[in-house]
Amino acid sequence: MLQSSARRAEPGERLTVGVAARLSRYLQVLTQARKMGKDRISSQEIADYTNINATQIRRDLSAFGKFGKRGVGYNIDSLLGEIRTILRTQGQHNIALIGAGRLGQAIASSPIFAEHGINIAAILDKDPEKVGRRLGNVEVSDYRSLASIVQERNIIVGVIAVPADHAQEAADDLVRAGVKIIFNYSEALLDVPSDVAVHTSNPAVELLYALYFHLT
Amino acid sequence: MLQSSARRAEPGERLTVGVAARLSRYLQVLTQARKMGKDRISSQEIADYTNINATQIRRDLSAFGKFGKRGVGYNIDSLLGEIRTILRTQGQHNIALIGAGRLGQAIASSPIFAEHGINIAAILDKDPEKVGRRLGNVEVSDYRSLASIVQERNIIVGVIAVPADHAQEAADDLVRAGVKIIFNYSEALLDVPSDVAVHTSNPAVELLYALYFHLT
DNA sequence: TAGATTGTTAATCGATTAACAATC
DNA sequence: TAGATTGTTAATCGATTAACAATC
């Protein structure tokens, strides 16, 4: 028997939610560490930046292969490649940004998406003043052309950066255009069909939760 | 023996990370549902908005008391009060926003913090052009007065909304001023003492993770 | 070699879920 | 009453952690 008792994940196997979330965070740390000129990193260093236990990190990684060197750590470039393969995020992904207001402008001008191979392929707004202007590298399009743009530019994610009172309308239009993943930066609760995934980002909620651990 | 086998949490007991995170999310849903004019809600409705299992929600809540009515659901106002008591977030909390650029402006003009009793008590920027202007209800202060403002205005949280290359400097200055909770909206990794909690928000990382479940 | 760090085990703890009686 | 939904049990599964041999 060559098979050891340690379980190694099958290639086609689906990750659990927890593992996928943690691998994504390792990806961010590795990306930044590389930018800072490092070429290797230990599980303890990743732990310091993510607040994820170092043993857990080694365990997560060793489920897919032996990526590290004992006594040395992990090579950042090769680990980045391994995790991208596991998460299947090697390619380029196109997203549409709804809303060219202050938040939309902040998102469009941030390098945060490009760094991870995510391409803002369209920015849409209803305001004629904003249509035609450039934000980042993208020209703002008329909101009414949402459906055709989603189809033409192969967009799979919609990012909602409009005030709460227009968020549901944007979600409805994205769903009608065929988008299955929505990131919601308004505080509104969105009603969508069950095959559409909504991620609502609410800094205030995260803050309340952080405060709890500070106050106790 | 009046004591049942179901364990009820002690008043002084510390919540686990998972419970505190989920309670915070219930808080958000309840806040929004109330704004939409509802006065009661079922565990299934909360489940639909949070993607947290309805049984888990009932279990989380029943650990602290019998807050619902069978056949009816939960009263939104009273449940809000109960959760706020559990999370000890009844009061007003003061935060400082570092950076009055596009992201800072978006955060300052959003109702998302005020809705949860979080008060943006100061906004700081290095740019003389921005100092003195008003964002939301707050006048932008000179970055150099950070330390004195943190002390005077009883600020316990710093929100970093500056470009990555200035984020570490902002973190260092916040730590020196005595702030123990930092929200980092840049993509930089921050080095801070171990008694300071850093929450880095990275939409790209969350997106990669959402994509994984979409693609598989 | 000596020191550092991985990969793995084993044990524990909390999260998750289906099912259903209780009860509004 | 009939229908709906909570509160609770019981069973399972994944997360977490300390410890340490393997090995770079």
Side-chain angles (χ1 to χ4, degrees):
Chain A
M1 293 286 268
L2 282 171
Q3 191 174 1
S4 86
S5 68
R7 227 181 132 282
R8 188 125 300 166
E10 296 296 323
E13 213 168 337
R14 207 150 195 265
L15 306 179
T16 66
V17 173
V19 173
R22 290 198 299 278
L23 289 174
S24 306
R25 299 194 55 201
Y26 306 156
L27 214 52
Q28 188 211 352
V29 171
L30 294 169
T31 306
Q32 291 308 313
R34 185 168 60 172
K35 268 175 64 179
M36 286 157 63
K38 289 173 71 95
D39 55 355
R40 54 195 166 77
I41 196 167
S42 70
S43 58
Q44 188 55 54
E45 287 176 282
I46 304 178
D48 291 338
Y49 286 121
T50 57
N51 299 317
I52 296 169
N53 183 284
T55 304
Q56 172 100 50
I57 294 169
R58 295 200 300 277
R59 191 177 230 295
D60 282 340
L61 297 175
S62 74
F64 302 97
K66 302 195 179 194
F67 301 146
K69 268 200 173 45
R70 289 168 201 242
V72 178
Y74 299 90
N75 177 284
I76 289 178
D77 279 327
S78 74
L79 189 54
L80 268 171
E82 298 287 1
I83 296 179
R84 290 209 184 105
T85 303
I86 298 165
L87 286 176
R88 306 178 200 192
T89 51
Q90 292 281 16
Q92 189 76 9
H93 303 290
N94 292 329
I95 70 174
L97 178 59
I98 315 296
R102 279 179 286 233
L103 181 57
Q105 289 169 31
I107 293 172
S109 60
S110 162
I112 226 161
F113 284 111
E115 235 166 36
H116 289 277
I118 295 163
N119 177 38
I120 300 178
I123 304 175
L124 299 108
D125 203 294
K126 282 184 170 176
D127 182 353
E129 291 275 308
K130 296 201 176 98
V131 174
R133 285 204 202 164
R134 295 190 78 78
L135 285 189
N137 295 318
V138 190
E139 193 178 304
V140 178
S141 303
D142 188 325
Y143 182 80
R144 283 169 295 187
S145 47
L146 175 62
S148 58
I149 287 178
V150 163
Q151 203 164 34
E152 283 162 19
R153 303 189 192 171
N154 191 27
I155 283 166
I156 54 172
V157 177
V159 176
I160 297 182
V162 300
D165 52 352
H166 285 81
Q168 183 63 54
E169 180 193 354
D172 291 344
D173 291 334
L174 283 167
V175 169
R176 250 192 300 275
V179 169
K180 298 291 186 206
I181 304 179
I182 293 176
F183 271 68
N184 174 28
Y185 282 97
S186 82
E187 71 270 26
L189 299 177
L190 301 180
D191 286 308
V192 297
S194 61
D195 65 333
V196 175
V198 175
H199 289 245
T200 298
S201 175
N202 192 320
V205 168
E206 290 167 47
L207 210 152
L208 287 180
Y209 151 77
L211 275 173
Y212 173 78
F213 288 100
H214 174 68
L215 297 174
T216 54
Chain B
M1 294 285 268
L2 283 170
Q3 191 175 359
S4 86
S5 68
R7 222 181 137 285
R8 189 127 300 166
E10 296 296 322
E13 213 167 338
R14 209 150 194 264
L15 306 178
T16 66
V17 174
V19 172
R22 291 198 298 278
L23 289 174
S24 306
R25 299 194 54 201
Y26 306 155
L27 213 52
Q28 187 210 353
V29 171
L30 295 170
T31 306
Q32 291 307 313
R34 186 168 60 172
K35 267 174 67 179
M36 287 157 62
K38 290 174 71 96
D39 55 355
R40 54 195 166 76
I41 195 166
S42 71
S43 58
Q44 187 55 55
E45 288 176 280
I46 304 178
D48 291 339
Y49 286 121
T50 56
N51 299 316
I52 296 169
N53 182 282
T55 303
Q56 173 99 51
I57 294 169
R58 296 201 299 279
R59 189 177 233 295
D60 282 340
L61 297 175
S62 73
F64 303 97
K66 302 197 179 192
F67 301 147
K69 269 200 172 43
R70 289 166 202 244
V72 177
Y74 299 90
N75 178 284
I76 289 177
D77 279 328
S78 74
L79 189 55
L80 268 172
E82 298 286 2
I83 295 179
R84 289 208 184 107
T85 303
I86 297 165
L87 287 176
R88 306 178 200 191
T89 53
Q90 293 281 18
Q92 189 76 12
H93 303 290
N94 292 330
I95 71 175
L97 178 59
I98 314 296
R102 278 180 288 234
L103 181 56
Q105 289 169 31
I107 293 172
S109 60
S110 162
I112 226 162
F113 284 110
E115 235 165 35
H116 289 278
I118 295 162
N119 177 39
I120 300 178
I123 305 176
L124 298 109
D125 204 293
K126 281 184 172 177
D127 183 352
E129 292 274 309
K130 294 198 176 103
V131 174
R133 286 204 200 163
R134 294 190 79 78
L135 285 188
N137 294 317
V138 190
E139 194 179 304
V140 178
S141 304
D142 188 324
Y143 182 79
R144 284 168 294 186
S145 47
L146 175 62
S148 58
I149 287 177
V150 163
Q151 203 165 35
E152 283 162 20
R153 304 190 191 170
N154 191 27
I155 283 166
I156 54 173
V157 178
V159 176
I160 296 180
V162 300
D165 52 352
H166 285 81
Q168 183 64 55
E169 181 193 353
D172 291 342
D173 291 335
L174 283 166
V175 167
R176 251 192 299 275
V179 169
K180 297 292 186 204
I181 303 179
I182 293 177
F183 271 70
N184 173 27
Y185 282 98
S186 83
E187 71 271 23
L189 300 177
L190 302 180
D191 286 308
V192 297
S194 61
D195 65 333
V196 176
V198 175
H199 289 244
T200 298
S201 175
N202 192 321
V205 169
E206 292 167 45
L207 211 152
L208 287 180
Y209 153 75
L211 275 173
Y212 174 78
F213 288 100
H214 174 68
L215 298 174
T216 55

